[in-house]
Amino acid sequence: MDASTAKKAIDCIRKLMEENRDFLIELDSIIGDGDLGLTMTMAFNTADDKMKNLEESDIGQLFFKTGMEIAKAAPSTMGTLVATGFMRGGMALKGKIELFPADMALFFRAFADALIDRGKSKPGEKSIIDVIDPAATAMEGSTDDWNTLADAGIAAARSGLENTKMMMARHGRAAYYQEKSIGKQDPGGTAGLFIVEGMLKAFKSEK
Amino acid sequence: MDASTAKKAIDCIRKLMEENRDFLIELDSIIGDGDLGLTMTMAFNTADDKMKNLEESDIGQLFFKTGMEIAKAAPSTMGTLVATGFMRGGMALKGKIELFPADMALFFRAFADALIDRGKSKPGEKSIIDVIDPAATAMEGSTDDWNTLADAGIAAARSGLENTKMMMARHGRAAYYQEKSIGKQDPGGTAGLFIVEGMLKAFKSEK
Amino acid sequence: MKKFLNQPEAFVDEMLEGILEAHSDQLKSVADDVRCIVRSDISKNGKVGLATGGGSGHLPLFLGYVGKGMLDGCSVGGVFQSPSSDRMLEVTKAIDTGKGVLYIYGNYGGDVMNFDMASEMAAMENIQVVSYAAGEDVASAPKGEEAKRRGVAGIFYVYKCAGAKAEEGANLDEVRRIAEKAGDAVRTMGVAISPVVVPEVGKPSFIIGDDEMEIGMGIHGEPGIRRGKLLSANDVVREMLDKLLPDLPYISGDEVSVLVNGLGATPKEELYVAYRKVAEILRRKGISVFKVYVGEFATSLEMAGFSISVFKLDDELKSLLAAPARTPFFEQFQLEV
Amino acid sequence: MKKFLNQPEAFVDEMLEGILEAHSDQLKSVADDVRCIVRSDISKNGKVGLATGGGSGHLPLFLGYVGKGMLDGCSVGGVFQSPSSDRMLEVTKAIDTGKGVLYIYGNYGGDVMNFDMASEMAAMENIQVVSYAAGEDVASAPKGEEAKRRGVAGIFYVYKCAGAKAEEGANLDEVRRIAEKAGDAVRTMGVAISPVVVPEVGKPSFIIGDDEMEIGMGIHGEPGIRRGKLLSANDVVREMLDKLLPDLPYISGDEVSVLVNGLGATPKEELYVAYRKVAEILRRKGISVFKVYVGEFATSLEMAGFSISVFKLDDELKSLLAAPARTPFFEQFQLEV
Ligand SMILES: Nc1ncnc2c1ncn2[C@@H]1O[C@H](COP(=O)(O)OP(=O)(O)O)[C@@H](O)[C@H]1O
Ligand SMILES: Nc1ncnc2c1ncn2[C@@H]1O[C@H](COP(=O)(O)OP(=O)(O)O)[C@@H](O)[C@H]1O
Ligand SMILES: [Mg+2]
Ligand SMILES: [Mg+2]
Ligand SMILES: [Mg+2]
Ligand SMILES: [Mg+2]
């Protein structure tokens, strides 16, 4: 579980974003401006390209820089949120050249807190927070091994995403639709699920 | 042949313009901006309304004021040309309270010269001048009585208008069409014919 | 998509190159990045720095207000997209003369987050930064939820007054106070009748009927308050002011400045037809008008429509509004007060 | 027809009422007629009077250049129609301070005739009047037939220089000389991609394909030089300058001012993309640029398109161009020369 796994994780997220590019565009078109598939692929393509060629054994630094690259490449709402998540998550792992399952829980806790802080929002407001936050909580309770952690994290993210359907959007463009946003799955949350999935699957498969 | 006949002449022109409103619009649409039917009815409606209620026995003054009213009401190319024509024509008859056929020839000569002066143009350039100028010349040669004068003037105006078809437009919007203007009857010349016709028919019928 | 452009992806950068080329006496870019623009006379300055930033497609917003008496720098995003925080940081570093920097920007999620991020990054570089997010579109959130409102054309007044205050040599807190005071004194309502085409998207941002208007629509096509048949100019203005005036409220005896802002494709002639009705309504309500701006101050590419902003004056704001200003997009001689 | 207006017939007068209402500190009407507009500070003036006039639908042309350092009065016609000579006369009488009046207007048949008529009427009132009809649209008549050319956006330079000269206290002949000198030094080329709807007509002024442009089209939709597929901004600019630059000609070593003028619906962003290419071409040809204007200076309601004007400078024209000016539609601080 060293920096090369971390790099592989970024690559995994990139692939998921690419596979789901049109799906994200579609979701964001309904209650947003439709750019999410573009910004997320742009964000992770850039980050992945940069990280691949980076000599860096400090995994904290690696994730922090991933966030920096995303911030530059994708200054949209989600780009900035995800960038902040990676930067704060990276700060939480600063100095680590090897990761244990508990570190991944630390990472996502910091990630979720970063979203809450940057987005000035909280769980229940139909956003990526409703995916990352429950995933972080689930991981905090399952740090025995990578398998348990990954399964718990992904399952929690999935059900978190499912729950966003019932919520009314309070932030971003979706909020303009008010009641009309109810019933629709949150686009940002969907991208959040791919981040959790990509990250955890990479570490799980490497274990 | 006093001021009341002159007023009747204006009314005659007004009616001809009204009857031919759509025809003038159509002609001007082909090689112009299509407003001629509107500006000519506007011009003569206003002039006629004003002249009807004017106490004025000086026929020269009456036509001069007709020109003034047209200038205000219809500042388009043709409005301004016709206004100048009536003003200069009126000036040529200044002080007359009764008209003889020769006076009508004087009027239209001054009218034609005014067009040439104001329009900085000359016969043969596909304009109202090609109708008024030959009509004036014909009248100058037939001042025996109102009938001869009217018939000569109207016939010359008609054939002048017919001749405009062969000409290439040198002035105004029509000139932008260059060769494409050949074959089409000049809209301004058509309105010019109605002026000659209205004027001469009124005087002829009153004789 | 009928536009004068080359590659759609190059649109923003080529536009900026054109601006820098045309106005090299007044503007320059920093960090070798055309998306980071500052006044070319920055170094001699020694005053509080004012920075803004926002998406492209709104000229003269945002960078058009960089110049003497207004702002010092601007970071530029893609069409309708926030600039990135690192660009904001570059601008911040370039304009700070040690007296600190005020960010003034429109209240949109992406911009808020990026400016917040840039503030944190600036703090790491020991630059003191405070922010003011302008939001005065009464159609975008109800009274009582002012903090959620989008920033539109009224931000012009915030730039103008805060810029004049900074030019006077006021400190960061004072300039921040004026920005907020100006922002609190302005309200805007918009109406749109045609969509825009973002070059990289290539198709209209929304569909609207040939005889329809949308009152309250945002400058990126955000949903408004009411869609309906296009009314007469007088009726449209009346409906807009009926919503706008009670919001602050503006009342008899008030003195205001009015900004009638074209969204892009609406001719100035129509804006003046609209202003005629604005003046009539204000007069009837006993509200006096000090200075009227009519033209394009915050656009949305080729969207047809306009907005009305009303700015309530007191002696302080009036004298700041009256101060001269000179940018490549906006020149104002000292007004008589 | 999708416009903000009330009765189409009232459009022009309501627009003017709005302008007079908004800018009562700078403009007023005379002869109880909103279509006769003059500077409100006329009486204190004592200089040669400058008057213009023309059809409505071109704001800021024509009345937008009435103000300090530019013109003194303007008569206003219906949309795309010449004002009447009696209105021209009223304006002339109001602005004459005994030093005579210069008429500067665009070279269109109706306007020429009406201004000629007004001159004669003014002579009857013992006011000395001379005229200059600006015509610089290279697409409207070939070289050698310059006198036939239509006046378009380049008239701005004529107003600016003649206005500055008059402000200096020059006599009528001198001001007339400058008007002609400025007019001789400017050339313009336009391109249009969409028609306009005149309110009283209610339908588009011409038909143009969804992917077509017309190079050289006039500001009332007069036929241009070439209609074809809409090219890239760079190619359009190249084609326009290929025709424009050899006309004067503008050659290596010349110093010029450039005006990129939007016709109404084309966003400023696109105008700057176009200017970027203009700058590149001029640089390659060794022509240096002193001052660039980009924006709407002579429009055609909501027509989409733009024009490029190039104005060749010498020391005299440059210092006149650099002088300050202040109208409700155009403010310029003194430029550094
Ligand atoms: N204030 C906020 N806090 C947390 N998440 C937010 C906030 N605003 C928006 N989001 C998330 O961002 C998603 C939209 O992202 P994006 O498409 O980038 O927005 P935009 O295109 O409007 O900039 C939403 O689905 C939501 O999950
Ligand atoms: N310079 C000119 N001299 C004489 N007649 C002219 C001149 N220019 C135009 N005309 C006449 O005016 C007619 C067009 O008039 P009108 O429709 O009023 O023009 P516009 O609508 O372009 O102002 C032409 O058919 C022609 O007869
Ligand atoms: Mg989006
Ligand atoms: Mg977006
Ligand atoms: Mg016509
Ligand atoms: Mg006409």
Side-chain angles (χ1 to χ4, degrees), chain C residues 17 21 23 209 276 283, chain D residues 2 17 21 209 272 276 283:
Chain C
E17 285 165 26
E21 188 74 65
H23 308 298
R276 175 182 169 275
R283 180 172 302 124
Chain D
K2 210 165 184 185
E17 285 166 24
E21 187 75 65
Y272 278 103
R276 175 181 169 277
R283 181 173 300 125

Side-chain angles (χ1 to χ4, degrees), chain B residues 29-167:
Chain B
S29 298
I30 305 174
I31 49 171
D33 61 355
D35 61 352
L36 191 60
L38 304 173
T39 51
M40 287 296 101
T41 49
M42 165 81 90
F44 285 95
N45 282 348
T46 310
D48 189 32
D49 290 347
K50 297 273 162 134
M51 292 312 120
K52 261 196 188 106
N53 304 312
L54 191 77
E55 292 288 342
E56 179 62 79
S57 54
D58 181 337
I59 301 178
Q61 281 288 356
L62 195 89
F63 284 146
F64 183 83
K65 284 178 181 157
T66 300
M68 293 281 279
E69 292 302 332
I70 293 176
K72 281 190 210 179
S76 67
T77 305
M78 269 290 287
T80 308
L81 285 168
V82 169
T84 312
F86 270 96
M87 286 161 75
R88 300 271 176 91
M91 281 155 85
L93 304 183
K94 197 166 173 189
K96 297 194 196 267
I97 56 169
E98 198 191 342
L99 288 199
F100 297 94
D103 296 322
M104 197 42 64
L106 279 181
F107 175 86
F108 275 105
R109 171 49 52 214
F111 198 118
D113 290 349
L115 297 176
I116 290 171
D117 183 32
R118 176 71 69 231
K120 300 194 186 83
S121 47
K122 49 185 199 304
E125 297 178 342
K126 197 182 188 99
S127 82
I128 178 173
I129 293 170
D130 297 307
V131 172
I132 305 288
D133 183 61
T137 308
M139 286 184 248
E140 285 165 337
S142 333
T143 53
D144 307 343
D145 69 298
W146 284 111
N147 264 338
T148 346
L149 177 99
D151 294 348
I154 292 172
R158 285 224 172 97
S159 80
L161 178 58
E162 190 59 31
N163 291 339
T164 64
K165 290 190 186 161
M166 270 77 78
M167 300 173 187

Side-chain angles (χ1 to χ4, degrees), chain A residues 28 33 35 76 173, chain C residues 80-81:
Chain A
D28 190 36
D33 60 356
D35 62 352
S76 67
R173 291 188 160 83
Chain C
F80 299 173
Q81 288 166 3

Side-chain angles (χ1 to χ4, degrees), chain A residues 28 33 35-36 76-78 81 119 121 126-129 171-173 186-189, chain C residues 113:
Chain A
D28 190 36
D33 60 356
D35 62 352
L36 192 61
S76 67
T77 306
M78 268 290 287
L81 286 168
S121 46
K126 196 182 189 97
S127 83
I128 178 174
I129 293 169
H171 297 283
R173 291 188 160 83
D186 181 54
Chain C
M113 289 178 199

Side-chain angles (χ1 to χ4, degrees), chain D residues 100-337:
Chain D
V101 172
L102 170 63
Y103 291 164
I104 303 175
Y105 54 89
N107 188 28
Y108 293 89
D111 299 272
V112 173
M113 291 178 199
N114 279 292
F115 272 107
D116 281 353
M117 200 147 155
S119 306
E120 291 163 21
M121 289 153 86
M124 301 279 279
E125 312 238 2
N126 297 314
I127 302 174
Q128 198 191 347
V129 170
V130 293
S131 290
Y132 180 70
E136 25 67 70
D137 182 347
V138 297
S140 57
K143 208 168 152 58
E145 299 182 33
E146 283 83 357
K148 287 195 186 161
R149 287 181 173 171
R150 297 186 291 256
V152 285
I155 198 171
F156 161 77
Y157 287 112
V158 183
Y159 292 151
K160 181 69 192 67
C161 294
K165 191 72 187 175
E167 209 76 35
E168 285 177 3
N171 69 24
L172 186 56
D173 284 349
E174 270 294 282
V175 179
R176 170 71 176 69
R177 180 183 66 79
I178 290 297
E180 182 166 343
K181 182 176 175 181
D184 284 348
V186 65
R187 294 292 184 278
T188 300
M189 263 293 281
V191 59
I193 54 174
S194 82
V196 339
V197 175
V198 173
E200 286 195 70
V201 177
K203 55 180 208 294
S205 52
F206 55 88
I207 307 293
I208 185 162
D210 263 358
D211 57 348
E212 282 185 328
M213 63 173 183
E214 184 156 330
I215 300 252
M217 178 170 276
I219 55 173
H220 313 94
E222 294 93 340
I225 292 182
R226 183 178 85 77
R227 186 175 281 210
K229 288 256 170 296
L230 176 56
L231 304 175
S232 72
N234 286 348
D235 286 344
V236 172
V237 167
R238 200 179 296 113
E239 183 167 345
M240 291 165 82
L241 289 188
D242 277 353
K243 178 95 189 160
L244 189 158
L245 294 178
D247 192 89
L248 191 69
Y250 302 86
I251 54 173
S252 177
D254 282 352
E255 185 175 31
V256 300
S257 170
V258 177
L259 164 58
V260 180
N261 169 61
L263 291 182
T266 291
K268 273 212 171 75
E269 283 79 2
E270 295 176 34
L271 302 181
Y272 278 103
V273 168
Y275 180 68
R276 175 181 169 277
K277 187 68 187 177
V278 174
E280 185 193 308
I281 291 174
L282 294 179
R283 181 173 300 125
R284 216 174 41 229
K285 294 204 184 278
I287 298 168
S288 67
V289 180
F290 163 62
K291 164 77 185 173
V292 181
Y293 298 93
V294 178
E296 297 184 349
F297 287 73
T299 63
S300 189
L301 290 175
E302 71 283 2
M303 191 184 279
F306 67 97
S307 65
I308 303 171
S309 301
V310 183
F311 182 49
K312 182 165 168 168
L313 298 168
D314 63 5
D315 287 348
E316 185 177 40
L317 292 179
K318 188 170 172 178
S319 87
L320 293 168
L321 184 64
R326 183 184 190 184
T327 85
F329 290 74
F330 177 73
E331 304 202 23
Q332 174 180 296
F333 285 87
Q334 171 72 48
L335 303 177
E336 263 177 65
V337 282

Side-chain angles (χ1 to χ4, degrees), chain C residues 116-134:
Chain C
D116 281 354
M117 201 148 154
S119 306
E120 291 163 20
M121 289 153 86
M124 302 278 280
E125 312 237 4
N126 297 316
I127 302 174
Q128 199 190 347
V129 170
V130 293
S131 290
Y132 179 70

